[in-house]
Amino acid sequence: MRLRRLAAATVALLALAACSPAGPDDAPAADGVTTVSFRLWDQQVAAAYEKSFAEFSRQNPDIRVQLNVVPWADYFTGLMLDVSSGTADDVYWLNALYFGALADSGKLVDVGRELAGDAAGWVPAAVEQYSRAGTLWGVPALTDGRIVVYYNRAMVEAAGVDPANLTWHPTDPAADTFLPAVRRLTRDAGGRSADQPGFDPGSVTQYGFNAARDLQGIYYNFVGSNGGRFQAPDDTFAFTDPRSEQAFSYLVDLINVHHVAPSAADTNDNPDFSRDQFLQGKMALFQSGAYNLKNIDDGARFEWGIALLPAGPAGRVSVVNSVIAAGNADSPRHEAVLRVLRWLGSEQGASFVGAEGAALPAVSAAQKGYFDFWSGRGVDTRYFGVDGGTATIPAPSGPKFGPGSTAFEPILNEVFAGRTPVAEGLRAAQEAGNAALR
């Protein structure tokens, strides 16, 4: 979930197994209460967790949970350093990027063994994603569902664009309805659209789309929808697959040839730039996931809607990611950690997140509250589920995906900026990423 970009990790993962835990022992504080720290990166979910853990502490007065919200841009750099030094939080969110390395190094609580009776209530795809070496290494906390397109209703109506069934094609212009649509939706300071004579790409005031180096929201889905792949079955990177190269070329051209998306100078180092442009009424179509739904509902001051992911030659192929709450195996508060993890994986514990509309819980029985919340606000969330399609591209995998991504992302920055030709850049990115895996 939210695999938009990685902060560079400055610690070698191989050192993890050699670290010894630090911090206080398992003894409670003077008031008889044990404090369990919990690190996460989402402020919206943190607000829901505050209510959830208030109820947890009411039922478990000997345990309090202290939330530690760390911004996404700094999250993994700090986490890996803290794990290495033995000072990590008792419980922390993980996505696919560093999960394999932490599981393999013995740093995570074996949830498959400790909470075996609870797993039947969790979303199967999330359980599968975070199972490794025959066991599950965290409690599925959130799941994203499928990627969708948020749209500014006034903009699409003014341009005569129907966002409901757009298709893109990298080699057949006759089959491509997406590019003509986003060109009509892009406007310069003189009011000209990108498909009109005299359009000035240097004075764009309204972008049609958010093409960018955004793994989860953008390029993973374009690669999959063209029948390409991002990783081979052995977890090595496969960027030079011809269909993957076509997808990247299409996206890079949206930015640098057609000028219907913001410059990579704005988006490479600011993963929220496009979202903010959309919220400010400066972008018509914003492709993203359920993780941005509450941000958009809270921040948009215009009528908006949700449409299907554009279909490519291979159909609508989306990445589906989940997030786990992982227990720190080195924590001296093991029993308290298990009680917190069990609460997070229960219908009651997860229901606060769904009821607030903050995110889609990965606890199956708690999902109804999420859908009810958004239905009550008149928001149609069905495209996050099977109504948005069923074809998926596998989520990032492998114990060294994080270091690999740290190696290839600077090269992809140059590709999206148009400074490195696509084929050359993908070849270099693949080589650098795979070298980091060895």
Side-chain angles (χ1 to χ4, degrees), residues 100-331:
L102 290 167
D104 290 357
S105 63
K107 292 298 176 181
L108 306 181
V109 169
D110 185 340
V111 166
R113 181 185 69 237
E114 300 277 14
L115 303 179
D118 300 75
W122 302 333
V123 171
V127 172
E128 180 180 357
Q129 183 178 2
Y130 292 100
S131 292
R132 189 169 177 81
T135 194
L136 175 63
W137 296 100
V139 171
L142 311 176
T143 188
D144 276 346
R146 297 178 65 81
I147 298 297
V148 299
V149 172
Y150 299 93
Y151 62 89
N152 183 309
R153 194 178 302 277
M155 288 179 180
V156 299
E157 289 178 356
V161 169
D162 181 1
N165 195 28
L166 295 174
T167 60
W168 68 276
H169 202 292
T171 60
D172 183 4
D176 192 330
T177 63
F178 179 75
L179 177 57
V182 294
R183 292 185 71 198
R184 291 202 302 276
L185 288 166
T186 302
R187 297 192 173 274
D188 66 14
R192 293 176 291 268
S193 60
D195 62 347
Q196 291 180 323
F199 169 74
D200 178 12
S203 67
V204 174
T205 58
Q206 174 183 310
Y207 290 104
F209 185 62
N210 63 313
R213 186 193 54 75
D214 178 340
L215 185 154
Q216 180 165 349
I218 302 294
Y219 68 74
Y220 231 65
N221 310 285
F222 274 80
V223 166
S225 296
N226 199 42
R229 59 183 184 167
F230 196 76
Q231 287 179 278
D234 64 357
D235 293 332
T236 57
F237 298 108
F239 305 153
T240 57
D241 179 294
R243 290 166 296 185
S244 301
E245 183 181 327
Q246 287 178 340
F248 275 102
S249 295
Y250 188 92
L251 287 170
V252 170
D253 283 352
L254 291 179
I255 300 168
N256 300 301
V257 175
H258 305 295
H259 305 287
V260 298
S263 165
D266 293 317
T267 60
N268 275 345
D269 295 321
N270 181 0
D272 293 328
F273 181 85
S274 292
R275 185 199 66 195
D276 294 343
Q277 291 288 292
F278 181 76
L279 290 176
Q280 294 165 19
K282 298 177 182 179
M283 180 177 288
L285 304 181
F286 174 62
Q287 185 169 301
S288 189
Y291 50 86
N292 263 318
L293 177 56
K294 196 161 195 328
N295 291 323
I296 289 170
D297 187 61
D298 288 346
R301 298 295 179 260
F302 50 82
E303 290 190 20
W304 54 276
I306 300 174
L308 291 161
L309 185 74
R316 290 185 178 86
V317 182
S318 173
V319 65
V320 177
N321 271 300
S322 299
V323 168
I324 54 170
N328 180 355
D330 289 337
S331 170

Side-chain angles (χ1 to χ4, degrees), residues 2-17:
R2 294 195 69 194
L3 301 181
R4 301 171 303 177
R5 65 186 291 269
L6 266 179
T10 58
V11 61
L13 296 180
L14 293 177
L16 293 176

